[in-house]
Amino acid sequence: MTGMLRYLVLWVCISSMWAVPFAHAASACGTFLDEWGGTGAGVGQFTAPDDVAVDGAGNVYVADSANDRIQVFDGDGNFIRQWGSLGAGNGQFDNPVAVTVDGAGNVYVADQNNDRVQKFDSTGSYLTQWGTPCILATSIGCVDPDGGGPLELGDGQFHDPAGLAVSPGGEIYVTDSSNHRIQRFSSSGVFLGKFGTFCTMFDLVGCVDPDGLGPLDVGDGGLAFPRGIAIDSAGDVYVADSSNHRVQKFTSTGAFVFLLGTMDIGFDIFGSGDGEFFGPNDVDVDGGDNLFVIEAGNQRVQKFSTTGLFLDKWGTQGGAAGQFVTPNGIAVDTDTNVFAADTGNDRIQKFACPDCGDGRLETGEQCDDGGTVGGDCCDPACDFESGGSGCDDGDPMTVVDVCDGSGVCVPTLGQWGIAAMAAAMFVAVLGLRRRRARA
């Protein structure tokens, strides 16, 4: 082989590998950053932490459920304060399972076994509460509005409140779990509305037959022990319909929009594939209105676009970093860091999830950063490839990714494209040398 051919062959080999050493991972979502906790009742320890929330300053609030308290940390896990003890008095709790924070820094806690919501200021000082119990199975605490019977569930009453969210307008949404409904209140606890009907696919109790031809169906808007709840920037509401193994989206007043998850009546009612759920226990949204769902059954987090398109996932069962045991709570801060209440491991885990795009170019953008504000740049934490990429198409085998002008990130040249060009050049030169030899 001549010297020239040796160089050409070497160039083919190097070219075919060009994308591999310099390309980055397709997505950084779910990158483990930190953890804190450990089993116990001491400062910074947890016993079955059920929920987590983040305020505008990045402080992290943990519903330390079995210790009947709220603990507050900074975004790196440094302890700030705590409050609460077992009881039914003001500022006491009996299994606090959900926590959220409004724009003014007020803290709301779902005090589950006391069937109430308590409100505190940012330092933990008690402000107010609302809710009384109603257990329809036994009629305990239920009401008779007209005096003629039967006893019924009243507005503002709860049975196992399990989730909380604050709307852009400051309204408080509560998942009234064992009453299978969502209730909406003012920030001071004034009842404003409700939605949801009961249906569980395990025994078809409360389910419907929309066309009258059978079989019975869970129905859009039907709920079975809903848990987590989140509200996006438009005021739309996402509900973790936990026992139906799906997530439903509603308007602010409860009109059904769409659902995520698959269910086969009489067969499997849960799944582990992309976009399927097994025990979705909590939800949250980021600044771009992407949806995050944490699943106790599948021990993982899934990420979706605002239209329900599957985007990413991470997590397996276990106690190592990035693994979970029955995780129950999730929260996303303004930097798209994701905090997970890893309930069975008695800890909080923190993950990075930089938004590399949502398929839209806003006004003035040259690349897709996933946000809705025009004129901003792509997140520098995203893994752009080495050939001068302006966005990330999610394929580590491509070298140069560009926006196509409509908000879609597309590759221009990949590993095999470079190799093919090199091989073609090699064949062309080899053919030329053979023709010259015959001449």
Side-chain angles (χ1 to χ4, degrees), residues 240-306:
D241 187 9
S242 187
S243 290
N244 283 325
H245 307 288
R246 62 183 186 174
V247 173
Q248 297 195 66
K249 181 178 181 178
F250 301 89
T251 67
S252 60
T253 56
F256 174 81
V257 178
F258 66 70
L259 62 83
L260 300 173
T262 57
M263 300 175 59
D264 297 317
I265 298 173
F267 299 96
D268 294 331
I269 61 171
F270 50 82
S272 58
D274 296 345
E276 296 179 328
F277 303 113
F278 182 15
N281 274 356
D282 201 13
V283 290
D284 200 11
V285 293
D286 65 15
D289 288 337
N290 296 302
L291 173 68
F292 294 77
V293 183
I294 197 162
E295 302 172 71
N298 283 326
Q299 324 282 348
R300 67 179 180 180
V301 175
Q302 292 194 72
K303 178 183 177 182
F304 301 86
S305 73
T306 186

Side-chain angles (χ1 to χ4, degrees), residues 71-108:
Q71 294 197 69
V72 187
F73 305 85
D74 67 18
D76 296 320
N78 298 304
F79 177 82
I80 297 176
R81 69 179 64 90
Q82 64 177 334
W83 69 88
S85 60
L86 177 62
N90 296 343
Q92 292 185 308
F93 304 112
D94 189 349
N95 196 36
V97 295
V99 60
T100 194
V101 187
D102 68 18
N106 297 308
V107 182
Y108 302 82

